[in-house]
Amino acid sequence: MDMLNSHCGVSRDGPGVVRLTICNAGPLNILGSAAILDVEAGLQSLASDAGIRVLVLAGESGKSMIGGADIKEMATLDQASAETFISRLAGLCEAVRHFPVPVIARMPGWCLGGGLEVAAACDIRVAGHDAKFGMPEVRVGIPSVIHAALLPRLIGWGRTRWLLMTAETIDAPTALAWGLVDAVAAEGELDIAVEKAVASLLACGPEALRTQKALLRQWEELPLKESVEISIGAFGRSFLTDEPKRLMQHFIDRKR
């Protein structure tokens, strides 16, 4: 693993597959300001690499991808510094959302608060069998904010209210049933489950997948009519590449 900076390690897991590992953030991979800025910087540096087809976001610790934001740092904040801190975390989430290829969250153990917000910004979430999820902010006197706003889109308003207002945790099977995660691995098979998701993505046209991710992000924010309209142009531009002709012909030939 090569270190991009103090908190960001990168390894190539195969052609087109990159794993970004959050490092030196404690046993639960807690995000303080330094780690937030370093991980965002790592994402930004990788975003221009046209050879990347899938990014796996992981934590150095087997206990968590991201356990949450640093409560020790937050306890020292005032209004101005609190807004600066949470704006930095929002910037990290946006770097994940707008990374040009699919981002898979590899999620063992605990995923709380800011960690769940980063996970919600990922495209695919694969959880360990013993993973736990929660939004405990109200129990320490702050609201859940920034990319907690993605949760109603994933799990609905009622379940979002439950998580944000009760601060209760849920287990991996519940998270799967709610749609908070996309897969739950059997015990000891988290990396196998992640690789299965990677393989599915690699089977797709890389340019089409980049376009699809960009459309999905726009659809999250646009009304239906505008979403349909921008899709027409994206569909047409896909034929400026060789992917439709090449992959469709492969499909046709395979069916013969």
Side-chain angles (χ1 to χ4, degrees):
M1 182 170 66
D2 298 322
M3 296 301 295
L4 294 180
N5 54 51
S6 297
H7 294 96
C8 196
V10 170
S11 58
R12 304 275 170 169
D13 287 1
V17 183
V18 169
R19 179 180 296 221
L20 189 156
T21 301
I22 300 167
C23 302
N24 302 315
L28 287 177
N29 293 310
I30 299 298
L31 293 183
S33 288
I36 291 169
L37 292 172
D38 276 357
V39 177
E40 181 182 358
L43 287 165
Q44 298 290 3
S45 70
L46 292 171
S48 61
D49 186 339
I52 299 177
R53 296 179 60 184
V54 180
L55 182 75
V56 177
L57 184 61
E60 186 177 31
S61 167
K63 295 181 178 179
S64 177
M65 181 183 83
I66 300 170
D70 188 349
I71 194 169
K72 292 180 180 179
E73 181 177 350
M74 289 191 290
T76 68
L77 302 177
D78 58 20
Q79 180 180 355
S81 58
E83 292 180 6
T84 298
F85 178 88
I86 205 64
S87 294
R88 288 172 179 158
L89 184 54
L92 170 57
C93 293
E94 283 297 283
V96 173
R97 282 186 71 237
H98 293 287
F99 196 79
V101 303
V103 179
I104 299 174
R106 180 189 181 277
M107 306 171 71
W110 292 96
C111 186
L112 303 172
L116 189 50
E117 288 160 13
V118 174
C122 294
D123 300 285
I124 295 174
R125 287 162 289 280
V126 181
H129 75 286
D130 59 348
K132 303 286 187 183
F133 307 88
M135 298 295 290
E137 285 89 340
V138 291
R139 290 194 181 173
V140 293
I142 53 177
S144 295
V145 293
I146 57 168
H147 290 71
L150 292 172
L151 293 178
R153 296 165 170 81
L154 293 172
I155 62 175
W157 282 104
R159 288 164 175 167
T160 298
R161 288 188 185 98
W162 172 263
L163 281 181
L164 271 57
M165 290 183 169
T166 70
E168 296 288 344
T169 60
I170 59 173
D171 60 14
T174 302
L176 180 63
W178 285 13
L180 186 60
V181 300
D182 303 294
V184 174
E187 185 174 359
E189 296 186 1
L190 179 55
D191 284 320
I192 293 173
V194 169
E195 288 307 311
K196 184 177 180 181
V198 167
S200 294
L201 294 169
L202 292 179
C204 302
E207 292 304 319
L209 206 51
R210 283 174 175 252
T211 299
Q212 192 67 76
K213 172 162 181 174
L215 281 173
L216 284 163
R217 292 304 180 237
Q218 290 174 293
W219 292 348
E220 286 176 346
E221 299 174 359
L222 292 175
L224 177 60
K225 187 174 187 295
E226 292 177 50
S227 296
V228 171
E229 288 173 350
I230 65 168
S231 301
I232 294 170
F235 183 81
R237 286 189 297 274
S238 69
F239 285 84
L240 296 173
T241 74
D242 72 334
E243 277 189 7
K245 182 177 180 179
R246 177 168 50 83
L247 296 179
M248 288 180 189
Q249 190 61 51
H250 175 73
F251 179 84
I252 292 167
D253 292 344
R254 189 185 64 180
K255 288 293 185 180
R256 287 174 180 169

